[in-house]
Each structure stands twice: as structure tokens, then as C-alpha cells.
Amino acid sequence: MSGRAIAVVLSVVLFLILPQSVGWYTDWLWFESLGFQQVFLTRLGAQVGLFLASGLIFLGFFSISVGLAENLARRALGLREYPGSRMVRSWERSFRLMIVIGGIFLALIMAGSASTSWEVVLRYLNATSFGIADPLFGRDIGFFVFTLPLYRFVHGWLTALVILTLLAAVAVYFFRLFLPQLMVEGDDISTLTLTATLLTRPIKAHLLFLAVAWLLLMAWGYRLDLYELVFSTRGAAYGAGYTDVHARWPALNLLTGLTVLMALLLVITVFLRQGWRLPLIGIALWVIAGFLVGRLYPDFVQRFQVQPQELDRERPYIEYNIRFTRQAYALDRIQEVPLAGEEMVTPQEIAAHPDTVRNIRLWDPEPLLDTYNQLQSIRLYYEFVGIDVDRYVIDGQYRQVMLSARELAPERLPPEAQTWVNRRLQFTHGQGVAMSPVNELTPEGLPTFFVQDVPPRGKLSISRPEIYHGEKTEDYVIVRTRTPEFSYPKGEENVYTSYQGKIGVGVGSLFRRLLFAIRFGDLNILLSDALQPDSLILYHRNIRERMEKIAPFLLLDRDPYIVVADGQLYWIQDAYTYSDRYPYAQPFGEGRTFNYLRNSVKAVINAYDGAVTLYIADPEDPLILVWSKIFPGLFRSMDEMPPTLRAHLRYPQDLFAVQAEMYRTYHMQDPRVFYNKEDLWTIPNEVYLDKTVPMAPYYVIMRLPGESKEEFVLIRPYTPPNKNNMITWLAARSDGEHYGKLLALRYPKDRLVFGPMQVEARIDQDPVISEQITLWDQAGSQVLRGNMIVIPIGQSNLYVEPIYLQAEAGRLPEMKRVVLVNGNRVVMEPTVEAGLARLFGFDTVAALGKDLTSTLETPPAIPSSAPLSSPENEEAAALLASLQERYARIQEEMKALETDLQRLSELLGVGSE
């Protein structure tokens, strides 16, 4: 090879390898800055080890086979030479180069495919037991989750190895032996004669050995197919059914035996002179058996034995499916609790559940997000990405709140400000959060704030409000440079800061700057004179990207949420272990399907410095135990989580949605009921904003039956098929020692309990409400209906739906009314308190306590002989409700005025001495 060719090859190799090497090294630096270098080394070591081992195995096997073919072809030719051989020899160098390059190319492909299976190999090497045996083979579930995937990977890789090697050997023999003859025109030596002459016993032995290896691998594949019957979709339920056990199982055994027999016939053929008769007979038998036994016989059994009496035949297998699906999704942990299902909530029950009533949610995430961005983004370069629901103790009371992180949106800077310095060095972080209670509003119908403004102020102290890591932080930034970092605006001036965190990758040296200029394709990193010796580059700042980089084997919840704790901001990201290899368990989802799911990890990411801590939330999950063995030191015990963070753990919505979806079918445990789908539940619809949508799970603070106090609960109701009445609601608990417990509260089937759409219909049919909504929903304004919140109280339900009004030209929804429904009574009032007063009387509202939002300090005395809830006093009740609302507005205005005056004094420095 000439020097120029060598230079070209080296340039190509450098072009391909250099970016990958830079990526590996900068990733190593990033993992090291987080203290997770062992995680990086373990994963990289497994990938590189598999790449090298599989590549060398392939090259070795491939080279030996090709070299043997070359040698045997020369021996077969001997001194004979046919017309065309000279021309073929002129191509010999090109043919050899093609074989070498092709072998290397195939080795790289095979090595790359093997390296992507590093998780499969490491899980197998660190496998643990589930302690549960499958009903068909009696093997532990761990065999199907950890061992069988490795067998399938090895089987597929070896099969590709043998087939590619066999094709290469055939190509060598064709080029050496047959091509010269085929190039001769009019020659009287036929190809068949040449075949008989040149296909010597060693050549036959070589090709037949490769064919035998392929057949033995095929036989092994049939055995693996046998174990994978537990994932069959043929029967009445997922998993092996009657036909699989009584027809496909014997068929697979027969095909395994025939394949081994074919392999033996090929071995015998090597030593026989009569040629290919026995292999051809074996192939014919295998094809016939594959069609008759492998295809027709199972179809016959399914059609004529199973379908006429499917329930009786499939009953035991349906039981397996029910049992293992309930295990896989933890549905067997759900405690079922009967409820009386009374028609109406009583005044006594309202008075007995004050914290439930105080935390009735009026604000919905979607309209509230628009409101936050209008009222609290402060500057155009800030943005609220999503609204989170949580609970805090505020002024000694357990309050449900909504909050959102104020993240930086550098793309919103004016075009003339879209400079590299601004986006990478100066505008580097967001600022604080906005937080509001779920049930309070100003007289204008806007949320009141527990935490607001920049820098954040309010009822919670935040000493470190900067957000360098969040849901919107997609780009890298460089900190500790000569360019000061923008922190927040203050009047006509800006306040600047400098990153004080310890986590980040040093980029002060020329070598490091060169590396990151290559990684990010950004020459400014190398040329900028703003960088200093202690400058740090922050990347992978998006919390989902950060988690996927550290633990790609975990499935992430779609809704990470921000938490204020100990004066700092943290993101909590729920993460799941999952598998699609749980025997008999019904798969869930499309695309990335799974049939086993556990919320085994709670990840905490510091919004300031990006520190990541992974806590094991479910120590009984075998999958997380395996991963903790693979990556020792990556996970911590939940006992190590600070109590201030543990108080904000919540049952994740994604997991709950999956469980709720599966439970609507798999609450049925009787095979006959399950088969006939006699008690299949549905997820109810609701009218949300301006369209009908399925009801999503939602968080409420409520007191569960039999408990002594309210708690933070995630709930979702069910309705029967083709009916709108409520039959059950599922609840997931999040507080204290009850975290993770699931309850199914079931109503009697002989009693009507209104479902969400029935309540929506009652609201639409109310003439006063309908007339008011129609009046609002015109003349440049739009009515938005909020989530229908079903609040179980006592033995019945209170239904609450907020009504928002939004100008068509604006994005500032205002909460104007709240509709409350109790039994057959429907009211619409400006506040929850006014609505409760109409439903239950002011005596009941007053009994809830003086701290109930917007309630009068001293409710007017009402004669007990004429309660306001009676029809004859409805006018008086409405008048008092109006007075109450006006008084509350005056109080709010006075509080706002006092706050603004105090803020003005602070800005002017009045009284600072």
C-alpha cells in the first residue's frame, strides 16, 4: 500500500475515532464531577469488553473458515487450469482485499451489535431470584427476566456469525472453483462435472460443518421458543394457553428432534459417497413437519378443540394471566374497602373534615400555567414550563399548593441580544419559584401567592433560588468567567452573581477548551478571552437528560417536580425499573412496552449545582437489587433521604395511571367473569376547558375512611361500561408510613352514585348556570371549564368544578365561579365558602374554623329555627354570601396595599436604619 493510501486510511480512521474519543473523555469528566466515575467505567468497560470479545471471536472464526476455504480450493484445483483462470488470477488481489475489508466491516457490525447488549449481560451476571416460580416450567421468574434474554442474544449473535461465515466460504469456493468454468463459452465441461470433480470430501466437510452448526443453533432456538410460550398471544389471555401447551409444545419438541437429526445426517454425509440424498430427505421431512406439526396442527387444535369450549379449556391459563399480571403491576397489593355510597354529603361530615374542605382545588394546571407566565414571569426571558402539585405546612396548616420553577428562556431574548456571550456566559440560570394555594384567589379571580417575584419572597425562605438545572435547560453554559452572570432585575439595574457550586467540569486550560470546542462544535469556546483558570462548563443540565445519562436502564416519569426544602430548590424525578419478560403478565403500552413496573427509584437533583442522588424506594424489587449490584454506590437507602425532602415524596402519576388502567380489567379475579368481561370498568370522561376528555388522576388532600386526619392522596374514579354512574375510585397514598399503599373504595352496585359526566350534565341542565355561561361565552370572552374534582367526604362525594373566563385576545384566565354539586343540589358561587353556605348553611361553614379562606371573621348569627339552607331563606343566604364576598375583597385589597407599601419602603430605603 502506498504512502498516500496509508495517509488516507489514517485520516479516515482519525475522522471517525476522534469525535468518539472526545465524547468518551468529556463524558468521563462529567461523571467524575458528579462522583459517578465508577458508573461510567462499569458501563464503558462492559461495552468495550463485549465489543472487543465479540469482534475478535468473529474475526477469528471468519478468518479460519475463509483461510481453510482458500487452502481447500487450491488443493482441489491441483495442477488443473481451465480457460478463464488467468483472468480470475488477475482479480485475485482485489478479491482478497474485498474479503479482508468485508470481514473487518462485518466484525465491526457484529461487535457493535454485541456492545449494545451490555445491560443484558450485566443483568445475567448479577441476577437475583424473584422468589416466584412460573406455573408452566416451574422456573423462577428471574430465569425469564435475566437468563432467557441472554440466551436469546447469544443465540442470535452466533446464528449471524455462522450464516455470514458460511456465505463467505461459499463465495471463496465460487470464485476459486466455479467462476473460471462459468467464464468459458462453448466449453464441453459442464458445471455439474466440475462440481463432482472439485467438491472434494474436505470441501464438503467444511461446508457441512458450518451447516451443522447452523442446524444445532436452530434446534437451540426451538428450545428457547418453548420457554417463550409464556409470552404467547394466541390464547384467550396473554401467556401460554391450551393450544400452546397441548399443540405447540409437542410441535417444538418434534422440530427440535428433527433438526438435530438433520445435523446428524449431514455429518454422516461427509463419510458417504452417494452424495446429498440423506440431507435432502432430512430437509424434506423438516419442511413437511414444520408445516404440518408447527403450523396446521396448532391451528386445528385451536379451531376444533379450543374454540367450541374456550372457557373450559383456557380456564387455568386465564387464572395464570390474572395472577401474574396482578403481581407484575402490584395490583395484588390493593386493599378493597366498601363504601355505603350515600346520596349526599351531610353538614356534619363537612364540619368533620375541615382540612379536606380547606384544600378543595380550584386551580387547574393548564390555565394556571398561563396565569403564572402572565403574572410572575417578570421578564420576557423567564418562563414557567409546567405546574406541579404538592403540599406544604404553611402557617401551621397542611396546605395543598401549586408551584412552578421560573426557568431561563434565552431564546426569548431580543434578536440583537442573541449573542454567544449572552447565551453561554451571562444568561445562565433561572430564578426561584412561584407558589400559590390551590383554593385561594383575589377579588379579580387571580391566584394569591405564597411565594412570588424575583428574587423570591413570601411564606417560604429560599436562600439559593438560582436554577442552573431544570426542565428547560437544554444548552451548555460556562460559569466563573470574566463576564458576570445575570441574576435578576432590580429596578433600572440588574443584579449579577457568580456560580458557587463545586460540580462542573473545568474548562480553564487550552487543552480542555479544545476538547469542548470539538465536542460542541463551537469554536468560541477556544477563542473567547472571557474564560479563566477556574471556569467551569455545565452541560447535560436538563434533568431528564441528566438522569438518562446516569441511569439509562431506568424508565423516567414524565413529570419531575420542584421542591422547596432547607432554603434550596430540588427536583424530584420518579424512575421505574421495568421488564417485558414477566411470564403471563399482560403487556402495557405501545412502542416501548413492558409487563412489569416498579417505582423503585426516587432521584433528587439539586437545581443549583446539579448534584444527583438516587434513593431506592422499593427494596423488595429484584430488578433494583440487580442494578445496585452492577453499580455499587450508585443508589442509597431511603433512610438517608433528609426528612424535609421525604415530606414531599408523592405517588407518581404515570405509575398510578398504568395501574389504574390495568386494574379496570384485572380487578376481576374469577376466570369466568374475566373471560366474559362482565365487570369491566372504564375511565370516566369530563368536560375540560371546552372539550370532553378522559379524566386524569389528580391529587387531593382528604381523609380516607377509617383514618383520623387528612392526607395527600392521588385518586381516579371508575364507571361501569356504557354507563356514567361511579362504581369505584382508586386511591394511592403518599404521606408518611402509608406511602405507596393503594386503596380501592367500592360503592354498592344496587345504589346510584353520580359519575363525573352525570354531574356535568346536571350542571349543563341548570338554567341559571347555563344562562350565565352562555352570557359570558360571547362578546370577546371565552368560558373555560376546569377539572371536575370528585372529593370523597364521609360516605358520599362532593363535586367541584371551577369556571374560568379568558379574553379571546389574552392569555390570562380568571377564576370567576365555582360550581358545587351535592346529591341533587347544584350551586354556582364566586367562592367555595359561598357555595358551601348555600349547600349546608353558614353554621356549617363557620364550624370549619376562622382560618377558612375568605370566610368572615364573625359570621352573622342565623336563627336556628330558620336555617339558610331552607328554600324560604335562599334570598337571605344569597345576600349574606354577597356581603361576605365583598368583605373578603376589601380584606384582600387592604392586605395587598399593606404589602405594596412595605415593598416600596424597602426599595426606597425608608426605615432601613
Side-chain angles (χ1 to χ4, degrees), residues 566-638:
D566 302 320
Q568 298 197 55
L569 300 178
Y570 297 91
W571 294 98
I572 295 183
Q573 171 73 69
D574 287 287
Y576 308 102
T577 54
Y578 66 100
S579 175
D580 61 353
R581 300 279 90 187
Y582 203 93
Y584 277 100
Q586 179 69 35
F588 182 90
E590 298 179 0
R592 194 176 188 179
T593 60
F594 51 82
N595 66 355
Y596 174 87
L597 191 67
R598 290 290 185 273
N599 177 216
S600 295
V601 175
K602 299 284 187 180
V604 177
I605 302 101
N606 190 300
Y608 183 74
D609 62 14
V612 179
T613 310
L614 306 180
Y615 297 95
I616 296 179
D618 186 356
E620 296 180 359
D621 172 32
L623 276 172
I624 198 60
L625 297 180
V626 167
W627 288 118
S628 62
K629 286 198 294 182
I630 295 172
F631 299 111
L634 177 60
F635 301 100
R636 297 186 184 182
S637 168
M638 187 63 75

Side-chain angles (χ1 to χ4, degrees), residues 186-224:
D187 194 275
D188 59 353
I189 303 177
S190 67
T191 303
L192 291 176
T193 303
L194 185 66
T195 301
T197 305
L198 299 181
L199 279 184
T200 61
R201 180 173 294 177
I203 293 176
K204 289 169 60 179
H206 179 210
L207 294 175
L208 291 175
F209 166 77
L210 294 174
V212 166
W214 176 62
L215 288 172
L216 292 178
L217 286 170
M218 185 179 293
W220 187 26
Y222 286 135
R223 299 304 298 173
L224 298 182

Side-chain angles (χ1 to χ4, degrees), residues 282-297:
I283 291 174
L285 288 175
W286 177 73
V287 171
I288 293 172
F291 181 72
L292 294 179
V293 180
R295 183 73 177 269
L296 289 185
Y297 178 59

Side-chain angles (χ1 to χ4, degrees), residues 410 412-423 426-427:
R412 292 188 172 188
L413 290 168
E416 60 273 13
Q418 293 286 338
T419 65
W420 184 82
V421 171
N422 276 346
R423 297 201 59 162
Q426 189 167 70
F427 289 88

Side-chain angles (χ1 to χ4, degrees), residues 499-680:
Y499 178 73
Q500 301 299 314
K502 297 180 180 180
I503 297 177
V505 177
V507 71
S509 68
L510 182 62
F511 176 67
R512 290 280 183 89
R513 292 166 69 173
L514 176 62
L515 285 178
F516 285 101
I518 294 173
R519 176 183 177 117
F520 293 110
D522 192 340
L523 197 59
N524 289 309
I525 299 175
L526 188 62
L527 301 178
S528 175
D529 60 358
L531 274 64
Q532 304 181 116
D534 63 341
S535 293
L536 299 175
I537 185 168
L538 309 180
Y539 51 107
H540 298 316
R541 297 193 300 140
N542 181 282
I543 54 177
R544 288 187 60 88
E545 179 188 357
R546 206 170 184 84
M547 279 294 300
E548 288 169 353
K549 196 74 178 175
I550 294 171
F553 47 86
L554 296 176
L555 188 63
L556 301 181
D557 192 270
R558 290 174 296 178
D559 185 27
Y561 57 101
I562 194 79
V563 169
V564 182
D566 302 320
Q568 298 197 55
L569 300 178
Y570 297 91
W571 294 98
I572 295 183
Q573 171 73 69
D574 287 287
Y576 308 102
T577 54
Y578 66 100
S579 175
D580 61 353
R581 300 279 90 187
Y582 203 93
Y584 277 100
Q586 179 69 35
F588 182 90
E590 298 179 0
R592 194 176 188 179
T593 60
F594 51 82
N595 66 355
Y596 174 87
L597 191 67
R598 290 290 185 273
N599 177 216
S600 295
V601 175
K602 299 284 187 180
V604 177
I605 302 101
N606 190 300
Y608 183 74
D609 62 14
V612 179
T613 310
L614 306 180
Y615 297 95
I616 296 179
D618 186 356
E620 296 180 359
D621 172 32
L623 276 172
I624 198 60
L625 297 180
V626 167
W627 288 118
S628 62
K629 286 198 294 182
I630 295 172
F631 299 111
L634 177 60
F635 301 100
R636 297 186 184 182
S637 168
M638 187 63 75
D639 295 335
E640 299 180 46
M641 180 181 285
T644 50
L645 286 174
R646 292 196 68 171
H648 295 283
L649 296 182
R650 67 184 196 184
Y651 202 89
Q653 281 183 291
D654 280 357
L655 173 63
F656 186 75
V658 170
Q659 291 176 314
E661 176 63 27
M662 299 304 295
Y663 190 63
R664 72 185 192 88
T665 301
Y666 284 91
H667 70 276
M668 298 180 285
Q669 300 185 54
D670 181 87
R672 180 176 295 277
V673 175
F674 182 91
Y675 177 80
N676 294 321
K677 300 297 185 287
E678 297 175 14
D679 195 21
L680 182 68

Side-chain angles (χ1 to χ4, degrees), residues 684-687 718-720 722-727 751-766 785 788 790 799 801 821 823-824 826:
N685 290 329
E686 64 171 337
V687 178
Y718 293 102
T719 57
N722 303 317
K723 294 183 179 180
N724 289 322
N725 60 290
M726 195 184 308
I727 191 169
R751 181 170 295 182
L752 175 64
V753 177
F754 289 134
M757 286 305 294
Q758 289 175 322
V759 175
E760 298 278 15
R762 294 184 66 85
I763 295 173
D764 292 336
Q765 293 165 5
D766 187 283
R785 294 171 70 158
M788 167 68 66
V790 183
Y799 304 83
E801 182 172 277
V821 180
N824 57 4
V826 181

